[in-house]
Amino acid sequence: MSRRYVYGPQSPIVSRPSNTSISGSSSPFSNYQRRRLPAKVVALSTANRDHSNGSVLLDNRSGTTTLQEMRDGYAEVVDPKSGVVGGVQDVYGEDTATEDQPVTPWAVSVASGYSLLRDPHHNKGLAFNEKERDSHYLCGLLPPTVVSQELQVKKMMHNIRNYQVPLQRYMAMMDLQERNQRLFYKLLMDNVEELLPIVYTPTVGEACQKYGSIFNRPQGLFISLKEKGKILEVLRNWPEKNIQVIVVTDGERILGLGDLGCQGMGIPVGKLSLYTALGGVRPSACLPVTIDVGTNNEELLNDEFYIGLRQKRATGQEYAELLHEFMTAVKQNYGEKVLVQFEDFANHNAFNLLEKYGTTHLVFNDDIQGTASVVLAGLISAMKFVGGSLADHTFLFLGAGEAGTGIAELIALEISKQTNLPVEETRKKVWLVDSKGLIVSSRAESLQHFKRPWAHEHEPVTELVDAVNKIKPTVLIGTSGQGKTFTKEVVEAMSALNEKPIILALSNPTSQSECTAEEAYTWSQGRAIFASGSPFESVEYEGKVHVPGQSNNAYIFPGLGLGLIMSGTIRVHDDMLLVAAEALAAEVSQENFDKGLIYPPFKNIRKISAHIAAKVAAKSYELGLATRLPPPKDLVKYAESCMYSPSYRTYR
Ligand SMILES: NC(=O)C1=CN([C@@H]2O[C@H](COP(=O)(O)OP(=O)(O)OC[C@H]3O[C@@H](n4cnc5c(N)ncnc54)[C@H](OP(=O)(O)O)[C@@H]3O)[C@@H](O)[C@H]2O)C=CC1
Ligand SMILES: CC(=O)C(=O)O
Ligand SMILES: [Mg+2]
């Protein structure tokens, strides 16, 4: 239960928890009187609504009735005889209590402005102007200078660039997010190409690996086996009520780094910061969740700084029950239209969860579906370089898990739509290799269910290079999570078969990339059409500069999510993934093609996301899955109008 105390400059005012009665002797607040607020405090409370969520500047965080009381012009005023008073005394008892005495962890905030400076949702730092400093009791709490948000961005970039180590940059960004949310998003949006590799792959991978050591203030909601039976209550502890997107992981397959248990939290936090920065979804509508069912990572279990449950992963019924309770509680608490994005689950759970909840919830698996859409977009635009249509190509994957089979299926679906051939037929253009070799019919019995549609007639092949030489693919896609697997031999084999081999090394982070951009361009004598999951620098080969694209689902999920939210969509449909891919491919300009790119630059991502959102929403209306009626006339404009802006608001 959250208690928040708000002290005004003239008389101390105290807010009480929403579910606490102020009458009755059992109430800890029974010694408060209800009194008219001082004029200045009333003015503050009514004037400072954040229009994005209708909340109030002062104390709009969780579990207090302050909002309503402020609107009414009332608050609870401390009885001076109660012993609970402001000033310099130790009013809460923490300091005077002996070590064996329990104390109440009351949060105290002072309306003189000190709390405002420490509220990341409203803090503007040195950008508070003179008038705001005066009316919000900030005088003396800030040095005299007043700066613009633009100057703050410039200063932060200067500071961040001074850190040589990416993890330090990541920590500086997280620190900023916890200190000044609008500045964080403005910084990220204005410098998206430079900062994406920090808040996202590859650095977020290292951050997850070291999360226990760098852990400072908790972000997101941790739901562990300990919370079984009370997940709904746990959801209600989250301060924001109007949630539109949840990104949830159980930490078992974090990028290509394996099981990082509870430390996977960096991923939902990072993905949701992109929902806001790239897709314009309000930060207060985003909820990062980590489900902690233990970890099988021995190193973490033995790490004294590990933050999660110290036990092996729960599986089977115990796992299913916890996930089911979570999914049920989510719908109960946030309704039918909250989007739940599954992220970095291991494939033995990911496919089942998507299938199980796909018919009852608005769910989306980014690794299976978002990746499929972004890769399809890249392939559609790559046709510009190689000619023909997708149906003319042969695709070979290294890695037959979530990403690999998800992409494979969407390619087959797109070819089926283009050619009117049944998808069972178009799948024959696609081949996959897993850790045991080429997926062929003789292996069908022992294959996981998601691999079976790809078990074509062929003799067994163990080595990738042999598969390349036998299948003769025009497109090679890495989704293995294993670095350095596109060897010189493999890239040379692709280059011997194709004038312009399409090579996508999708595994993250950089250390797990199947090959580097330099290797792809050098080993193909500058002929490869290359993109990777994590970013690589441009490469000069024989006097020509090659700019590698980033084939990452970050192009898709923010716009797709926005489209679902703005149309009030209740279910995700494969056709939405297809239109999202087409919308992304349509954003690649001639100038981008001239540089060898198959994706547009991230610096245009807000515009791209608006276009993706519009196409997704249009498809949803067409399929009868959208509930926000009537549909807006201009969906692109509507998408843009829905987008969060990180510019500071003026406080009256
Ligand atoms: N760029 C992007 O947007 C995205 C990138 N990814 C990246 O893709 C990678 C894989 O993710 P995901 O599909 O979810 O993982 P999965 O665990 O579901 O799949 C991995 C697949 O790779 C196979 N594999 C593992 N080692 C080898 C090897 N040495 N040779 C051949 N195949 C191998 C596995 O084989 P087996 O089945 O036999 O175990 C499995 O089929 C990760 O690194 C992830 O970061 C994922 C999503 C999006
Ligand atoms: C990008 C992404 O979702 C992954 O690597 O898992
Ligand atoms: Mg992922």
Side-chain angles (χ1 to χ4, degrees):
M1 185 189 300
S2 157
R3 296 179 175 84
R4 184 172 288 254
Y5 290 75
V6 183
Y7 285 82
Q10 296 161 31
S11 68
I13 57 168
V14 178
S15 68
R16 62 183 165 79
S18 54
N19 49 359
T20 307
S21 164
I22 59 165
S23 59
S25 56
S26 62
S27 164
F29 298 91
S30 55
N31 51 356
Y32 303 144
Q33 300 161 8
R34 198 159 163 78
R35 198 187 294 166
R36 194 84 193 153
L37 283 173
K40 198 161 185 180
V41 177
V42 175
L44 259 178
S45 66
T46 53
N48 291 289
R49 306 247 161 85
D50 174 344
H51 295 287
S52 65
N53 59 12
S55 61
V56 161
L57 175 65
L58 274 177
D59 189 19
N60 74 332
R61 299 298 100 201
S62 70
T64 75
T65 51
T66 312
L67 172 62
Q68 196 51 51
E69 289 166 352
M70 291 288 189
R71 281 184 181 146
D72 295 350
Y74 285 96
E76 309 311 323
V77 180
V78 178
D79 178 345
K81 292 192 287 282
S82 71
V84 181
V85 290
V88 294
Q89 298 168 43
D90 172 22
V91 292
Y92 307 104
E94 275 102 320
D95 292 347
T96 51
T98 58
E99 278 179 19
D100 55 349
Q101 279 178 319
V103 295
T104 305
W106 285 342
V108 182
S109 55
V110 181
S112 64
Y114 193 78
S115 62
L116 186 56
L117 290 178
R118 272 148 191 79
D119 175 356
H121 304 269
H122 298 105
N123 181 25
K124 300 200 245 180
L126 290 180
F128 281 110
N129 64 32
E130 303 286 2
K131 191 163 162 280
E132 289 169 331
R133 291 176 187 208
D134 183 43
S135 48
H136 297 286
Y137 315 103
L138 296 169
C139 295
L141 299 181
L142 291 164
T145 191
V146 175
V147 303
S148 65
Q149 196 178 17
E150 285 67 31
L151 193 69
Q152 289 181 310
V153 165
K154 188 175 170 187
K155 189 185 90 174
M156 271 310 296
M157 277 316 290
H158 173 80
N159 291 348
I160 282 177
R161 286 178 186 138
N162 272 339
Y163 290 116
Q164 297 305 312
V165 179
L167 192 61
Q168 287 178 325
R169 294 182 178 193
Y170 176 88
M171 288 164 71
M173 287 298 287
M174 290 306 106
D175 181 59
L176 179 62
Q177 191 174 22
E178 286 162 20
R179 200 155 37 80
N180 182 336
Q181 195 178 67
R182 284 186 186 276
L183 187 57
F184 169 82
Y185 282 112
K186 177 121 179 88
L187 189 75
L188 184 52
M189 283 162 58
D190 289 357
N191 300 278
V192 66
E193 289 184 328
E194 189 170 344
L195 294 179
L196 208 53
I198 303 299
V199 299
Y200 193 53
T201 183
T203 311
V204 72
E206 188 185 355
C208 289
Q209 288 174 310
K210 298 176 180 162
Y211 211 71
S213 309
I214 65 171
F215 183 80
N216 199 355
R217 287 167 71 180
Q219 295 171 295
L221 209 51
F222 294 89
I223 297 176
S224 77
L225 286 168
K226 285 186 187 168
E227 276 71 55
K228 192 162 188 291
K230 49 183 182 183
I231 294 181
L232 188 60
E233 270 175 61
V234 174
L235 288 181
R236 288 180 177 154
N237 286 343
W238 187 250
E240 305 290 351
K241 304 297 163 215
N242 186 12
I243 297 300
Q244 293 175 318
V245 191
I246 294 171
V247 175
V248 57
T249 188
D250 71 356
E252 192 168 4
R253 196 285 279 145
I254 294 299
L255 306 178
L257 300 171
D259 182 354
L260 299 185
C262 192
Q263 302 197 162
M265 180 56 103
I267 296 293
V269 167
K271 291 270 177 184
L272 283 166
S273 69
L274 304 195
Y275 258 105
T276 299
L278 313 191
V281 178
R282 282 182 296 116
S284 59
C286 298
L287 173 57
V289 176
T290 292
I291 307 261
D292 185 355
V293 294
T295 177
N296 296 338
N297 184 328
E298 286 295 336
E299 211 179 305
L300 288 180
L301 288 173
N302 293 321
D303 179 351
E304 61 177 326
F305 297 133
Y306 181 58
I307 58 171
L309 289 182
R310 278 171 205 274
Q311 64 167 72
K312 292 274 185 198
R313 279 187 176 273
T315 57
Q317 194 179 343
E318 195 182 9
Y319 179 89
E321 280 176 7
L322 192 75
L323 266 290
H324 192 66
E325 187 187 336
F326 169 70
M327 293 303 290
T328 307
V330 158
K331 198 158 159 181
Q332 197 172 338
N333 211 32
Y334 305 118
E336 181 96 0
K337 286 176 263 179
V338 62
L339 171 63
V340 179
Q341 174 166 320
F342 294 119
E343 193 69 54
D344 291 8
F345 283 74
N347 60 39
H348 53 92
N349 290 317
F351 288 100
N352 295 344
L353 288 170
L354 188 60
E355 195 186 333
K356 182 169 178 187
Y357 295 105
T359 52
T360 55
H361 290 65
L362 181 66
V363 289
F364 164 71
N365 184 301
D366 191 30
D367 301 299
I368 301 171
Q369 298 173 298
T371 315
S373 189
V374 77
V375 172
L376 180 60
L379 295 175
I380 291 170
S381 50
M383 294 301 110
K384 187 106 175 168
F385 293 100
V386 292
S389 68
L390 289 176
D392 303 320
H393 287 266
T394 304
F395 306 84
L396 179 66
F397 287 78
L398 184 73
E402 292 166 69
T405 61
I407 303 163
E409 187 64 19
L410 204 66
I411 292 173
L413 191 61
E414 175 73 7
I415 299 177
S416 165
K417 294 225 176 211
Q418 288 180 7
T419 57
N420 283 327
L421 288 170
V423 78
E424 292 73 21
E425 200 55 37
T426 60
R427 283 190 188 126
K428 293 182 181 155
K429 303 289 293 178
V430 185
W431 296 81
L432 294 101
V433 171
D434 66 8
S435 65
K436 297 187 180 66
L438 190 65
I439 295 181
V440 291
S441 49
S442 56
R443 291 179 57 196
E445 286 298 297
S446 61
L447 290 172
Q448 289 141 293
H449 65 93
F450 50 86
K451 292 179 184 170
R452 280 189 207 132
W454 312 101
H456 309 317
E457 283 301 325
H458 200 283
E459 61 179 340
V461 181
T462 330
E463 296 302 318
L464 176 64
V465 67
D466 296 335
V468 170
N469 285 322
K470 293 200 161 142
I471 303 296
K472 303 193 187 328
T474 52
V475 181
L476 178 66
I477 302 179
T479 50
S480 63
Q482 303 297 316
K484 304 272 166 223
T485 37
F486 290 174
T487 57
K488 187 165 187 271
E489 230 187 339
V490 167
V491 175
E492 283 177 351
M494 282 297 290
S495 309
L497 290 164
N498 300 284
E499 176 53 31
K500 285 188 181 295
I502 299 172
I503 299 178
L504 308 180
L506 299 182
S507 293
N508 297 315
T510 315
S511 58
Q512 310 309 113
S513 189
E514 283 77 7
C515 66
T516 66
E518 188 168 12
E519 288 165 346
Y521 293 124
T522 309
W523 295 337
S524 67
Q525 291 113 30
R527 288 186 282 127
I529 311 295
F530 176 79
S532 51
S534 297
F536 282 106
E537 295 292 336
S538 300
V539 175
E540 196 178 326
Y541 178 78
E542 293 189 347
K544 189 170 175 220
V545 176
H546 298 263
V547 186
Q550 191 176 348
S551 186
N552 194 293
N553 50 32
Y555 273 111
I556 294 291
F557 69 79
L560 181 114
L562 179 66
L564 298 172
I565 293 168
M566 76 186 206
S567 55
T569 293
I570 52 162
R571 299 287 177 270
V572 172
H573 189 283
D574 282 350
D575 284 359
M576 297 171 188
L577 307 176
L578 294 177
V579 294
E582 286 157 14
L584 176 57
E587 294 297 317
V588 189
S589 66
Q590 190 55 50
E591 191 192 340
N592 304 148
F593 285 128
D594 291 345
K595 289 184 186 153
L597 284 166
I598 54 172
Y599 292 101
F602 265 113
K603 70 176 180 328
N604 299 334
I605 189 67
R606 297 273 280 203
K607 176 179 158 268
I608 296 166
S609 292
H611 280 85
I612 292 174
K615 292 283 187 212
V616 168
K619 182 53 76 180
S620 180
Y621 283 110
E622 186 190 318
L623 293 168
L625 292 169
T627 61
R628 186 152 302 151
L629 298 168
K633 281 202 180 64
D634 185 332
L635 283 165
V636 175
K637 276 211 178 97
Y638 183 62
E640 283 167 349
S641 76
C642 292
M643 285 182 160
Y644 164 85
S645 153
S647 299
Y648 289 141
R649 305 299 188 260
T650 303
Y651 301 150
R652 269 172 292 198

